[in-house]
Short mmCIF file of all heavy atoms in Angstrom, two decimals:
data_model
loop_
_atom_site.label_atom_id
_atom_site.label_comp_id
_atom_site.label_asym_id
_atom_site.label_seq_id
_atom_site.Cartn_x
_atom_site.Cartn_y
_atom_site.Cartn_z
N MET A 211 -12.74 -2.08 0.17
CA MET A 211 -12.82 -2.58 -1.18
C MET A 211 -12.15 -3.96 -1.30
O MET A 211 -12.64 -4.81 -2.01
CB MET A 211 -12.18 -1.57 -2.12
CG MET A 211 -12.33 -1.95 -3.55
SD MET A 211 -14.03 -2.14 -4.03
CE MET A 211 -14.17 -0.90 -5.24
N ARG A 212 -11.05 -4.16 -0.57
CA ARG A 212 -10.35 -5.45 -0.63
C ARG A 212 -11.20 -6.59 -0.06
O ARG A 212 -10.96 -7.75 -0.36
CB ARG A 212 -9.02 -5.38 0.11
CG ARG A 212 -8.00 -4.54 -0.63
CD ARG A 212 -6.67 -4.53 0.08
NE ARG A 212 -6.11 -5.87 0.09
CZ ARG A 212 -5.19 -6.26 0.96
NH1 ARG A 212 -4.73 -5.43 1.88
NH2 ARG A 212 -4.71 -7.49 0.93
N SER A 213 -12.18 -6.26 0.76
CA SER A 213 -13.07 -7.29 1.30
C SER A 213 -14.05 -7.79 0.25
O SER A 213 -14.53 -8.91 0.35
CB SER A 213 -13.86 -6.74 2.49
OG SER A 213 -13.01 -6.36 3.53
N MET A 214 -14.35 -6.96 -0.74
CA MET A 214 -15.38 -7.29 -1.72
C MET A 214 -14.83 -7.80 -3.04
O MET A 214 -15.57 -8.34 -3.84
CB MET A 214 -16.24 -6.07 -2.01
CG MET A 214 -16.94 -5.54 -0.80
SD MET A 214 -18.03 -4.12 -1.08
CE MET A 214 -17.29 -3.22 -2.39
N ARG A 215 -13.56 -7.64 -3.29
CA ARG A 215 -12.97 -8.03 -4.57
C ARG A 215 -11.83 -9.01 -4.36
O ARG A 215 -10.70 -8.74 -4.67
CB ARG A 215 -12.46 -6.79 -5.32
CG ARG A 215 -13.46 -5.71 -5.51
CD ARG A 215 -14.26 -5.94 -6.76
NE ARG A 215 -15.09 -4.76 -7.01
CZ ARG A 215 -16.38 -4.81 -7.16
NH1 ARG A 215 -17.00 -5.95 -7.09
NH2 ARG A 215 -17.07 -3.71 -7.37
N ARG A 216 -12.16 -10.16 -3.81
CA ARG A 216 -11.15 -11.14 -3.41
C ARG A 216 -10.68 -12.01 -4.55
O ARG A 216 -9.54 -12.41 -4.60
CB ARG A 216 -11.71 -12.03 -2.31
CG ARG A 216 -12.04 -11.36 -1.03
CD ARG A 216 -10.82 -10.84 -0.35
NE ARG A 216 -9.84 -11.92 -0.18
CZ ARG A 216 -8.62 -11.72 0.24
NH1 ARG A 216 -8.19 -10.53 0.53
NH2 ARG A 216 -7.78 -12.74 0.37
N GLY A 217 -11.57 -12.39 -5.41
CA GLY A 217 -11.22 -13.33 -6.46
C GLY A 217 -12.12 -14.55 -6.44
O GLY A 217 -12.35 -15.17 -7.47
N THR A 218 -12.63 -14.90 -5.26
CA THR A 218 -13.63 -15.97 -5.18
C THR A 218 -14.91 -15.36 -4.61
O THR A 218 -14.87 -14.55 -3.68
CB THR A 218 -13.18 -17.15 -4.31
OG1 THR A 218 -13.01 -16.71 -2.96
CG2 THR A 218 -11.89 -17.77 -4.82
N LYS A 219 -16.01 -15.75 -5.17
CA LYS A 219 -17.30 -15.19 -4.75
C LYS A 219 -17.60 -15.48 -3.28
O LYS A 219 -18.13 -14.63 -2.57
CB LYS A 219 -18.42 -15.76 -5.65
CG LYS A 219 -19.73 -15.08 -5.46
CD LYS A 219 -19.62 -13.62 -5.87
CE LYS A 219 -20.99 -12.99 -5.93
NZ LYS A 219 -20.89 -11.56 -6.22
N GLU A 220 -17.22 -16.68 -2.82
CA GLU A 220 -17.48 -17.04 -1.43
C GLU A 220 -16.79 -16.07 -0.48
O GLU A 220 -17.39 -15.60 0.49
CB GLU A 220 -17.00 -18.47 -1.14
CG GLU A 220 -17.76 -19.54 -1.87
CD GLU A 220 -17.20 -19.83 -3.27
OE1 GLU A 220 -16.30 -19.09 -3.74
OE2 GLU A 220 -17.67 -20.79 -3.88
N MET A 221 -15.53 -15.77 -0.76
CA MET A 221 -14.80 -14.86 0.12
C MET A 221 -15.30 -13.44 -0.02
O MET A 221 -15.33 -12.70 0.97
CB MET A 221 -13.29 -14.95 -0.14
CG MET A 221 -12.69 -16.26 0.30
SD MET A 221 -13.18 -16.80 1.97
CE MET A 221 -12.70 -15.39 2.95
N ASP A 222 -15.71 -13.04 -1.22
CA ASP A 222 -16.31 -11.72 -1.38
C ASP A 222 -17.50 -11.57 -0.44
O ASP A 222 -17.62 -10.57 0.27
CB ASP A 222 -16.81 -11.51 -2.82
CG ASP A 222 -15.71 -11.40 -3.85
OD1 ASP A 222 -14.53 -11.30 -3.48
OD2 ASP A 222 -16.05 -11.41 -5.05
N ILE A 223 -18.36 -12.57 -0.41
CA ILE A 223 -19.57 -12.52 0.41
C ILE A 223 -19.22 -12.53 1.89
O ILE A 223 -19.73 -11.70 2.66
CB ILE A 223 -20.52 -13.68 0.05
CG1 ILE A 223 -21.06 -13.48 -1.37
CG2 ILE A 223 -21.65 -13.80 1.07
CD1 ILE A 223 -21.75 -14.70 -1.94
N LEU A 224 -18.38 -13.46 2.32
CA LEU A 224 -18.05 -13.58 3.74
C LEU A 224 -17.36 -12.32 4.27
O LEU A 224 -17.73 -11.81 5.34
CB LEU A 224 -17.17 -14.80 3.98
CG LEU A 224 -17.83 -16.16 3.73
CD1 LEU A 224 -16.80 -17.27 3.82
CD2 LEU A 224 -18.97 -16.39 4.70
N LEU A 225 -16.37 -11.85 3.56
CA LEU A 225 -15.63 -10.68 4.05
C LEU A 225 -16.42 -9.40 3.91
O LEU A 225 -16.28 -8.49 4.73
CB LEU A 225 -14.27 -10.58 3.36
CG LEU A 225 -13.32 -11.72 3.71
CD1 LEU A 225 -12.01 -11.58 2.93
CD2 LEU A 225 -13.04 -11.80 5.20
N MET A 226 -17.28 -9.30 2.89
CA MET A 226 -18.12 -8.12 2.76
C MET A 226 -19.10 -8.03 3.94
O MET A 226 -19.30 -6.96 4.50
CB MET A 226 -18.89 -8.16 1.44
CG MET A 226 -19.71 -6.91 1.19
SD MET A 226 -20.50 -6.89 -0.44
CE MET A 226 -21.47 -8.39 -0.38
N ARG A 227 -19.67 -9.16 4.34
CA ARG A 227 -20.57 -9.16 5.50
C ARG A 227 -19.84 -8.69 6.75
O ARG A 227 -20.37 -7.88 7.53
CB ARG A 227 -21.13 -10.55 5.75
CG ARG A 227 -22.18 -10.97 4.77
CD ARG A 227 -22.69 -12.35 5.10
NE ARG A 227 -23.61 -12.81 4.08
CZ ARG A 227 -24.00 -14.06 3.96
NH1 ARG A 227 -23.58 -14.98 4.82
NH2 ARG A 227 -24.83 -14.40 3.00
N PHE A 228 -18.64 -9.21 6.95
CA PHE A 228 -17.87 -8.80 8.12
C PHE A 228 -17.54 -7.31 8.05
O PHE A 228 -17.70 -6.58 9.03
CB PHE A 228 -16.58 -9.62 8.23
CG PHE A 228 -15.69 -9.15 9.34
CD1 PHE A 228 -15.98 -9.49 10.65
CD2 PHE A 228 -14.59 -8.35 9.09
CE1 PHE A 228 -15.19 -9.04 11.70
CE2 PHE A 228 -13.78 -7.91 10.13
CZ PHE A 228 -14.08 -8.25 11.43
N ALA A 229 -17.07 -6.86 6.91
CA ALA A 229 -16.69 -5.45 6.76
C ALA A 229 -17.88 -4.53 7.01
O ALA A 229 -17.75 -3.52 7.71
CB ALA A 229 -16.10 -5.21 5.36
N GLU A 230 -19.02 -4.88 6.48
CA GLU A 230 -20.22 -4.05 6.69
C GLU A 230 -20.64 -4.02 8.15
O GLU A 230 -21.08 -3.00 8.66
CB GLU A 230 -21.37 -4.55 5.82
CG GLU A 230 -21.16 -4.25 4.34
CD GLU A 230 -22.23 -4.87 3.46
OE1 GLU A 230 -23.01 -5.73 3.93
OE2 GLU A 230 -22.27 -4.50 2.27
N ALA A 231 -20.49 -5.15 8.83
CA ALA A 231 -20.94 -5.26 10.22
C ALA A 231 -19.95 -4.70 11.23
O ALA A 231 -20.37 -4.14 12.25
CB ALA A 231 -21.24 -6.73 10.55
N ARG A 232 -18.66 -4.83 10.98
CA ARG A 232 -17.70 -4.55 12.04
C ARG A 232 -16.55 -3.61 11.70
O ARG A 232 -15.88 -3.12 12.60
CB ARG A 232 -17.07 -5.87 12.52
CG ARG A 232 -18.06 -6.92 12.98
CD ARG A 232 -18.39 -6.75 14.44
NE ARG A 232 -19.48 -7.58 14.88
CZ ARG A 232 -19.38 -8.83 15.27
NH1 ARG A 232 -18.22 -9.43 15.29
NH2 ARG A 232 -20.46 -9.49 15.64
N LEU A 233 -16.27 -3.37 10.45
CA LEU A 233 -15.06 -2.64 10.08
C LEU A 233 -14.99 -1.24 10.70
O LEU A 233 -13.95 -0.83 11.20
CB LEU A 233 -14.96 -2.54 8.55
CG LEU A 233 -13.58 -2.27 7.99
CD1 LEU A 233 -12.60 -3.36 8.37
CD2 LEU A 233 -13.65 -2.13 6.49
N ALA A 234 -16.09 -0.53 10.72
CA ALA A 234 -16.10 0.83 11.26
C ALA A 234 -15.75 0.88 12.74
O ALA A 234 -15.25 1.90 13.22
CB ALA A 234 -17.46 1.48 11.01
N ALA A 235 -15.99 -0.20 13.46
CA ALA A 235 -15.75 -0.22 14.91
C ALA A 235 -14.37 -0.74 15.29
O ALA A 235 -14.01 -0.70 16.47
CB ALA A 235 -16.82 -1.06 15.59
N LEU A 236 -13.59 -1.21 14.32
CA LEU A 236 -12.28 -1.76 14.65
C LEU A 236 -11.29 -0.67 15.03
O LEU A 236 -11.25 0.38 14.39
CB LEU A 236 -11.72 -2.55 13.46
CG LEU A 236 -12.48 -3.81 13.04
CD1 LEU A 236 -11.79 -4.47 11.85
CD2 LEU A 236 -12.62 -4.78 14.19
N ASP A 237 -10.50 -0.94 16.06
CA ASP A 237 -9.45 0.01 16.45
C ASP A 237 -8.25 -0.17 15.52
O ASP A 237 -8.23 -1.09 14.70
CB ASP A 237 -9.06 -0.18 17.92
CG ASP A 237 -8.46 -1.53 18.23
OD1 ASP A 237 -7.84 -2.16 17.35
OD2 ASP A 237 -8.60 -1.98 19.38
N PRO A 238 -7.26 0.72 15.59
CA PRO A 238 -6.12 0.64 14.66
C PRO A 238 -5.40 -0.71 14.68
O PRO A 238 -5.02 -1.22 13.62
CB PRO A 238 -5.20 1.78 15.12
CG PRO A 238 -6.14 2.80 15.68
CD PRO A 238 -7.21 1.97 16.38
N ALA A 239 -5.22 -1.31 15.84
CA ALA A 239 -4.54 -2.61 15.92
C ALA A 239 -5.37 -3.69 15.22
O ALA A 239 -4.83 -4.54 14.51
CB ALA A 239 -4.27 -3.00 17.36
N ALA A 240 -6.67 -3.66 15.42
CA ALA A 240 -7.55 -4.64 14.78
C ALA A 240 -7.60 -4.42 13.27
O ALA A 240 -7.66 -5.39 12.50
CB ALA A 240 -8.95 -4.56 15.37
N LEU A 241 -7.56 -3.17 12.84
CA LEU A 241 -7.50 -2.89 11.40
C LEU A 241 -6.21 -3.43 10.79
O LEU A 241 -6.22 -3.98 9.68
CB LEU A 241 -7.62 -1.39 11.13
CG LEU A 241 -9.01 -0.80 11.27
CD1 LEU A 241 -8.95 0.72 11.17
CD2 LEU A 241 -9.95 -1.37 10.21
N ASP A 242 -5.11 -3.28 11.52
CA ASP A 242 -3.83 -3.84 11.04
C ASP A 242 -3.93 -5.36 10.92
O ASP A 242 -3.44 -5.95 9.95
CB ASP A 242 -2.69 -3.46 11.97
CG ASP A 242 -2.29 -2.00 11.86
OD1 ASP A 242 -2.67 -1.34 10.87
OD2 ASP A 242 -1.60 -1.51 12.78
N ALA A 243 -4.55 -5.99 11.90
CA ALA A 243 -4.72 -7.45 11.88
C ALA A 243 -5.60 -7.87 10.70
O ALA A 243 -5.32 -8.86 10.02
CB ALA A 243 -5.32 -7.94 13.19
N TYR A 244 -6.65 -7.11 10.44
CA TYR A 244 -7.54 -7.40 9.31
C TYR A 244 -6.79 -7.22 7.99
O TYR A 244 -6.92 -8.05 7.08
CB TYR A 244 -8.78 -6.51 9.37
CG TYR A 244 -9.81 -6.85 8.34
CD1 TYR A 244 -10.47 -8.08 8.36
CD2 TYR A 244 -10.15 -5.96 7.34
CE1 TYR A 244 -11.42 -8.41 7.41
CE2 TYR A 244 -11.11 -6.27 6.38
CZ TYR A 244 -11.74 -7.50 6.42
OH TYR A 244 -12.68 -7.82 5.48
N GLU A 245 -6.00 -6.17 7.90
CA GLU A 245 -5.20 -5.93 6.70
C GLU A 245 -4.25 -7.11 6.45
O GLU A 245 -4.11 -7.57 5.32
CB GLU A 245 -4.43 -4.63 6.85
CG GLU A 245 -3.69 -4.20 5.61
CD GLU A 245 -4.60 -3.68 4.51
OE1 GLU A 245 -5.71 -3.22 4.81
OE2 GLU A 245 -4.18 -3.74 3.34
N ALA A 246 -3.61 -7.60 7.50
CA ALA A 246 -2.72 -8.76 7.36
C ALA A 246 -3.49 -9.99 6.91
O ALA A 246 -3.01 -10.78 6.09
CB ALA A 246 -1.99 -9.02 8.67
N LEU A 247 -4.69 -10.16 7.44
CA LEU A 247 -5.53 -11.29 7.06
C LEU A 247 -5.88 -11.23 5.58
O LEU A 247 -5.90 -12.26 4.90
CB LEU A 247 -6.80 -11.30 7.91
CG LEU A 247 -7.72 -12.49 7.71
CD1 LEU A 247 -7.14 -13.72 8.39
CD2 LEU A 247 -9.09 -12.19 8.23
N LEU A 248 -6.13 -10.05 5.07
CA LEU A 248 -6.50 -9.90 3.66
C LEU A 248 -5.36 -10.29 2.72
O LEU A 248 -5.60 -10.55 1.54
CB LEU A 248 -6.95 -8.47 3.38
CG LEU A 248 -8.27 -8.05 4.02
CD1 LEU A 248 -8.56 -6.60 3.70
CD2 LEU A 248 -9.42 -8.95 3.61
N ASP A 249 -4.15 -10.35 3.22
CA ASP A 249 -3.02 -10.78 2.40
C ASP A 249 -2.95 -12.30 2.24
O ASP A 249 -2.17 -12.80 1.44
CB ASP A 249 -1.69 -10.28 3.01
CG ASP A 249 -1.51 -8.79 2.84
OD1 ASP A 249 -2.10 -8.21 1.89
OD2 ASP A 249 -0.78 -8.19 3.64
N GLU A 250 -3.75 -13.02 3.00
CA GLU A 250 -3.75 -14.49 2.94
C GLU A 250 -4.49 -14.98 1.70
O GLU A 250 -5.34 -14.28 1.13
CB GLU A 250 -4.41 -15.08 4.19
CG GLU A 250 -3.68 -14.78 5.48
CD GLU A 250 -2.36 -15.53 5.62
OE1 GLU A 250 -2.12 -16.48 4.85
OE2 GLU A 250 -1.59 -15.17 6.52
N ASN A 251 -4.20 -16.19 1.31
CA ASN A 251 -4.80 -16.85 0.16
C ASN A 251 -6.29 -17.12 0.43
O ASN A 251 -6.66 -17.56 1.52
CB ASN A 251 -4.03 -18.16 -0.05
CG ASN A 251 -4.54 -18.97 -1.18
OD1 ASN A 251 -5.64 -19.50 -1.13
ND2 ASN A 251 -3.72 -19.10 -2.20
N ASP A 252 -7.14 -16.90 -0.57
CA ASP A 252 -8.58 -17.12 -0.41
C ASP A 252 -8.93 -18.55 -0.02
O ASP A 252 -9.83 -18.76 0.79
CB ASP A 252 -9.32 -16.79 -1.71
CG ASP A 252 -9.69 -15.33 -1.81
OD1 ASP A 252 -9.31 -14.54 -0.93
OD2 ASP A 252 -10.40 -14.98 -2.78
N GLN A 253 -8.25 -19.51 -0.60
CA GLN A 253 -8.57 -20.90 -0.28
C GLN A 253 -8.28 -21.20 1.20
O GLN A 253 -9.06 -21.89 1.86
CB GLN A 253 -7.77 -21.87 -1.18
CG GLN A 253 -8.25 -21.88 -2.61
CD GLN A 253 -7.79 -20.67 -3.42
OE1 GLN A 253 -6.83 -19.98 -3.07
NE2 GLN A 253 -8.47 -20.40 -4.52
N ASP A 254 -7.17 -20.67 1.71
CA ASP A 254 -6.88 -20.85 3.14
C ASP A 254 -7.91 -20.13 3.99
O ASP A 254 -8.43 -20.70 4.95
CB ASP A 254 -5.48 -20.32 3.47
CG ASP A 254 -4.37 -21.16 2.86
OD1 ASP A 254 -4.58 -22.37 2.63
OD2 ASP A 254 -3.29 -20.60 2.62
N LEU A 255 -8.20 -18.89 3.65
CA LEU A 255 -9.19 -18.13 4.42
C LEU A 255 -10.52 -18.85 4.47
O LEU A 255 -11.14 -18.95 5.53
CB LEU A 255 -9.40 -16.74 3.81
CG LEU A 255 -8.33 -15.71 4.06
CD1 LEU A 255 -8.60 -14.46 3.23
CD2 LEU A 255 -8.26 -15.36 5.53
N TYR A 256 -10.97 -19.37 3.36
CA TYR A 256 -12.25 -20.06 3.33
C TYR A 256 -12.24 -21.29 4.24
O TYR A 256 -13.18 -21.52 5.00
CB TYR A 256 -12.64 -20.46 1.90
CG TYR A 256 -14.00 -21.08 1.86
CD1 TYR A 256 -15.14 -20.27 1.94
CD2 TYR A 256 -14.17 -22.45 1.80
CE1 TYR A 256 -16.40 -20.83 1.96
CE2 TYR A 256 -15.43 -23.02 1.80
CZ TYR A 256 -16.54 -22.20 1.89
OH TYR A 256 -17.81 -22.75 1.92
N GLN A 257 -11.17 -22.05 4.18
CA GLN A 257 -11.09 -23.23 5.04
C GLN A 257 -11.05 -22.86 6.51
O GLN A 257 -11.64 -23.55 7.34
CB GLN A 257 -9.88 -24.08 4.65
CG GLN A 257 -10.07 -24.76 3.32
CD GLN A 257 -8.89 -25.63 2.93
OE1 GLN A 257 -7.80 -25.49 3.46
NE2 GLN A 257 -9.11 -26.52 2.00
N TRP A 258 -10.38 -21.78 6.85
CA TRP A 258 -10.33 -21.34 8.25
C TRP A 258 -11.70 -20.85 8.71
O TRP A 258 -12.16 -21.22 9.79
CB TRP A 258 -9.31 -20.23 8.44
CG TRP A 258 -7.90 -20.59 8.09
CD1 TRP A 258 -7.35 -21.84 8.05
CD2 TRP A 258 -6.87 -19.69 7.70
NE1 TRP A 258 -6.03 -21.76 7.67
CE2 TRP A 258 -5.70 -20.45 7.45
CE3 TRP A 258 -6.80 -18.31 7.54
CZ2 TRP A 258 -4.50 -19.87 7.06
CZ3 TRP A 258 -5.61 -17.73 7.15
CH2 TRP A 258 -4.48 -18.51 6.92
N ILE A 259 -12.34 -20.02 7.91
CA ILE A 259 -13.63 -19.44 8.29
C ILE A 259 -14.70 -20.52 8.37
O ILE A 259 -15.55 -20.50 9.26
CB ILE A 259 -14.02 -18.30 7.33
CG1 ILE A 259 -13.06 -17.12 7.50
CG2 ILE A 259 -15.47 -17.86 7.57
CD1 ILE A 259 -13.20 -16.05 6.44
N SER A 260 -14.66 -21.47 7.45
CA SER A 260 -15.68 -22.52 7.43
C SER A 260 -15.41 -23.63 8.45
O SER A 260 -16.23 -24.51 8.63
CB SER A 260 -15.78 -23.13 6.03
OG SER A 260 -14.58 -23.81 5.70
N GLY A 261 -14.24 -23.58 9.10
CA GLY A 261 -13.91 -24.58 10.11
C GLY A 261 -13.33 -25.87 9.54
O GLY A 261 -13.16 -26.84 10.27
N GLN A 262 -13.02 -25.89 8.26
CA GLN A 262 -12.43 -27.08 7.65
C GLN A 262 -11.01 -27.32 8.13
O GLN A 262 -10.57 -28.46 8.19
CB GLN A 262 -12.44 -26.96 6.13
CG GLN A 262 -13.82 -26.92 5.53
CD GLN A 262 -13.78 -26.67 4.04
OE1 GLN A 262 -12.83 -27.05 3.36
NE2 GLN A 262 -14.80 -26.01 3.53
N ARG A 263 -10.30 -26.24 8.44
CA ARG A 263 -8.94 -26.30 8.98
C ARG A 263 -8.82 -25.23 10.05
O ARG A 263 -9.42 -24.17 9.95
CB ARG A 263 -7.91 -26.01 7.88
CG ARG A 263 -7.72 -27.13 6.93
CD ARG A 263 -6.54 -26.96 5.97
NE ARG A 263 -5.58 -25.94 6.32
CZ ARG A 263 -5.03 -25.08 5.46
NH1 ARG A 263 -5.33 -25.14 4.18
NH2 ARG A 263 -4.16 -24.19 5.85
N PRO A 264 -8.02 -25.48 11.08
CA PRO A 264 -7.83 -24.46 12.11
C PRO A 264 -7.02 -23.29 11.55
O PRO A 264 -6.09 -23.49 10.76
CB PRO A 264 -7.07 -25.18 13.22
CG PRO A 264 -6.46 -26.37 12.56
CD PRO A 264 -7.31 -26.73 11.39
N ALA A 265 -7.36 -22.11 11.98
CA ALA A 265 -6.63 -20.91 11.57
C ALA A 265 -5.33 -20.83 12.35
O ALA A 265 -5.25 -21.30 13.50
CB ALA A 265 -7.47 -19.68 11.85
N PRO A 266 -4.31 -20.22 11.77
CA PRO A 266 -3.07 -19.99 12.52
C PRO A 266 -3.38 -19.13 13.74
O PRO A 266 -4.29 -18.29 13.72
CB PRO A 266 -2.19 -19.23 11.54
CG PRO A 266 -2.78 -19.44 10.19
CD PRO A 266 -4.24 -19.71 10.41
N ALA A 267 -2.62 -19.32 14.79
CA ALA A 267 -2.86 -18.61 16.05
C ALA A 267 -2.94 -17.10 15.86
O ALA A 267 -3.76 -16.43 16.49
CB ALA A 267 -1.78 -18.98 17.06
N ALA A 268 -2.11 -16.56 14.99
CA ALA A 268 -2.09 -15.11 14.78
C ALA A 268 -3.41 -14.59 14.23
O ALA A 268 -3.79 -13.44 14.48
CB ALA A 268 -0.94 -14.73 13.85
N HIS A 269 -4.12 -15.43 13.48
CA HIS A 269 -5.39 -15.00 12.86
C HIS A 269 -6.62 -15.57 13.55
O HIS A 269 -7.74 -15.17 13.23
CB HIS A 269 -5.42 -15.43 11.39
CG HIS A 269 -4.42 -14.78 10.51
ND1 HIS A 269 -4.20 -13.43 10.49
CD2 HIS A 269 -3.56 -15.30 9.61
CE1 HIS A 269 -3.27 -13.14 9.60
NE2 HIS A 269 -2.85 -14.27 9.06
N ALA A 270 -6.44 -16.49 14.46
CA ALA A 270 -7.57 -17.22 15.04
C ALA A 270 -8.67 -16.34 15.64
O ALA A 270 -9.85 -16.57 15.36
CB ALA A 270 -7.08 -18.25 16.05
N PRO A 271 -8.34 -15.33 16.46
CA PRO A 271 -9.43 -14.52 17.03
C PRO A 271 -10.25 -13.78 15.96
O PRO A 271 -11.48 -13.75 16.02
CB PRO A 271 -8.70 -13.53 17.94
CG PRO A 271 -7.40 -14.18 18.26
CD PRO A 271 -7.05 -14.96 17.03
N LEU A 272 -9.57 -13.23 14.98
CA LEU A 272 -10.27 -12.50 13.92
C LEU A 272 -11.07 -13.46 13.04
O LEU A 272 -12.20 -13.16 12.66
CB LEU A 272 -9.27 -11.70 13.09
CG LEU A 272 -9.83 -10.77 12.03
CD1 LEU A 272 -10.89 -9.83 12.61
CD2 LEU A 272 -8.71 -9.97 11.39
N ILE A 273 -10.51 -14.62 12.75
CA ILE A 273 -11.24 -15.62 11.96
C ILE A 273 -12.51 -16.04 12.70
O ILE A 273 -13.57 -16.17 12.09
CB ILE A 273 -10.34 -16.85 11.67
CG1 ILE A 273 -9.24 -16.48 10.68
CG2 ILE A 273 -11.16 -18.03 11.18
CD1 ILE A 273 -9.70 -16.18 9.28
N ALA A 274 -12.42 -16.22 14.00
CA ALA A 274 -13.60 -16.59 14.79
C ALA A 274 -14.66 -15.50 14.72
O ALA A 274 -15.86 -15.79 14.61
CB ALA A 274 -13.21 -16.86 16.24
N GLU A 275 -14.24 -14.24 14.77
CA GLU A 275 -15.19 -13.13 14.67
C GLU A 275 -15.83 -13.08 13.29
O GLU A 275 -17.05 -12.89 13.17
CB GLU A 275 -14.50 -11.81 14.99
CG GLU A 275 -15.44 -10.66 15.10
CD GLU A 275 -14.80 -9.39 15.57
OE1 GLU A 275 -13.62 -9.40 15.98
OE2 GLU A 275 -15.48 -8.36 15.52
N ILE A 276 -15.04 -13.26 12.26
CA ILE A 276 -15.58 -13.27 10.90
C ILE A 276 -16.57 -14.42 10.72
O ILE A 276 -17.64 -14.25 10.17
CB ILE A 276 -14.44 -13.35 9.86
CG1 ILE A 276 -13.60 -12.08 9.88
CG2 ILE A 276 -15.00 -13.61 8.46
CD1 ILE A 276 -12.30 -12.17 9.11
N ALA A 277 -16.21 -15.59 11.23
CA ALA A 277 -17.11 -16.74 11.14
C ALA A 277 -18.42 -16.50 11.87
O ALA A 277 -19.48 -16.90 11.40
CB ALA A 277 -16.41 -17.99 11.68
N SER A 278 -18.35 -15.83 13.02
CA SER A 278 -19.59 -15.57 13.77
C SER A 278 -20.49 -14.60 13.00
O SER A 278 -21.70 -14.77 12.99
CB SER A 278 -19.28 -15.06 15.16
OG SER A 278 -18.81 -13.74 15.14
N VAL A 279 -19.90 -13.61 12.36
CA VAL A 279 -20.68 -12.66 11.56
C VAL A 279 -21.25 -13.36 10.33
O VAL A 279 -22.40 -13.12 9.95
CB VAL A 279 -19.83 -11.44 11.14
CG1 VAL A 279 -20.53 -10.58 10.11
CG2 VAL A 279 -19.46 -10.60 12.35
N ALA A 280 -20.47 -14.25 9.74
CA ALA A 280 -20.90 -14.96 8.55
C ALA A 280 -21.93 -16.04 8.85
O ALA A 280 -22.53 -16.59 7.95
CB ALA A 280 -19.69 -15.58 7.84
N GLY A 281 -22.08 -16.37 10.14
CA GLY A 281 -23.05 -17.37 10.53
C GLY A 281 -22.56 -18.80 10.42
O GLY A 281 -23.34 -19.73 10.39
N ASN A 282 -21.23 -18.97 10.37
CA ASN A 282 -20.67 -20.32 10.23
C ASN A 282 -20.42 -21.01 11.56
O ASN A 282 -20.18 -22.20 11.58
CB ASN A 282 -19.35 -20.26 9.44
CG ASN A 282 -19.58 -19.93 8.00
OD1 ASN A 282 -20.63 -20.24 7.46
ND2 ASN A 282 -18.63 -19.28 7.37
N ARG A 283 -20.41 -20.26 12.64
CA ARG A 283 -20.13 -20.89 13.95
C ARG A 283 -21.03 -20.33 15.00
O ARG A 283 -21.50 -19.28 15.00
CB ARG A 283 -18.68 -20.66 14.34
CG ARG A 283 -17.73 -21.37 13.43
CD ARG A 283 -16.31 -21.23 13.92
NE ARG A 283 -15.45 -21.79 12.90
CZ ARG A 283 -14.16 -21.55 12.83
NH1 ARG A 283 -13.57 -20.80 13.71
NH2 ARG A 283 -13.44 -22.08 11.90
#
């Protein structure tokens, strides 16, 4: 639910696509990483996913996966 009700429509769409495509297959550690990512600001997340700014190292692998699902990279 947190993937779909972000506050900005762009992030709702991007994270909903990722959640629908990959969430069920994530292991507990990856789910924890995703949960931590959801605590980030939408504006930062959008810039990281769209490639406008590099993601912090802690989030970079997951951001790259989200971007690939969203079709941005």
Side-chain angles (χ1 to χ4, degrees):
M211 185 58 118
R212 289 183 64 201
S213 298
M214 300 182 328
R215 306 273 188 235
R216 296 293 306 172
T218 64
K219 190 64 170 175
E220 294 87 352
M221 291 313 305
D222 291 350
I223 292 167
L224 294 172
L225 293 178
M226 185 175 57
R227 285 181 186 166
F228 175 78
E230 288 174 347
R232 304 272 170 85
L233 201 60
L236 295 180
D237 63 29
L241 284 172
D242 288 344
Y244 186 65
E245 187 73 24
L247 185 76
L248 292 178
D249 288 335
E250 296 289 346
N251 179 293
D252 273 5
Q253 289 77 20
D254 291 333
L255 284 172
Y256 184 77
Q257 290 181 341
W258 300 337
I259 292 170
S260 66
Q262 295 175 30
R263 285 190 15 222
H269 294 312
L272 186 53
I273 290 292
E275 188 173 352
I276 293 168
S278 73
V279 169
N282 290 331
R283 293 186 187 162

